[in-house]
Amino acid sequence: MEEKELTQAIKRYLGDDSDNYAIMVTGPWGCGKTHYVENCLRREVASDGWHIVRVSMFGITSEDIFYDRLLSAILSSKESDIRNSLADIGSLSGRFGRFFRHKKKKSPESPSRFKRISKDVGISALMGQMKKAGIQMSVEARSLVELLLGKGKVIVFDDLERCLLDETRLLGLMDTMIES
């Protein structure tokens, strides 16, 4: 299949609301699949409002590493909607502000400060400021992935042949993501 035909087939698939599954593009190692995703498909689907998050599956040995890698790919993506998602997380601190105000000793950090930090720097800075303010929170990578992924994202799992998870577990993880 030619590049243009493949792109049109993927765009048709993404445009069909009745499909909520996964597609697989195969080819021998070194044939240019990653190059195609990064240099052609990313641009083409962006024109329809889709954003690609590419995740290397190289060396993944557990579900925790899978979600950590996926979260890292989401956060390192340069798409503007990812930055907006982080800003949305900052607004969560405002929603939870009433819990912070229950403290006997008022924290010098206000929820609006949390919001600004999360917009500017991201999750790690938000968590760091919360820790300094005496607020402890544990969030698993899987929960953050589910929070940050929404409509308009195309997740590309690259280097599947180098993933160390057995096929059943890997396909189960993908199925869970599709279902949620």
Side-chain angles (χ1 to χ4, degrees), residues 90 93 109-122:
S93 65
E109 304 291 341
S110 68
S112 64
R113 173 113 170 106
F114 293 134
K115 184 175 179 178
R116 277 195 319 275
I117 290 168
S118 66
K119 273 186 185 177
D120 296 339
V121 184

Side-chain angles (χ1 to χ4, degrees), residues 20-35:
N20 191 21
Y21 300 101
I23 56 176
M24 185 172 193
V25 176
T26 62
W29 188 88
C31 72
K33 296 178 299 292
T34 301
H35 183 270

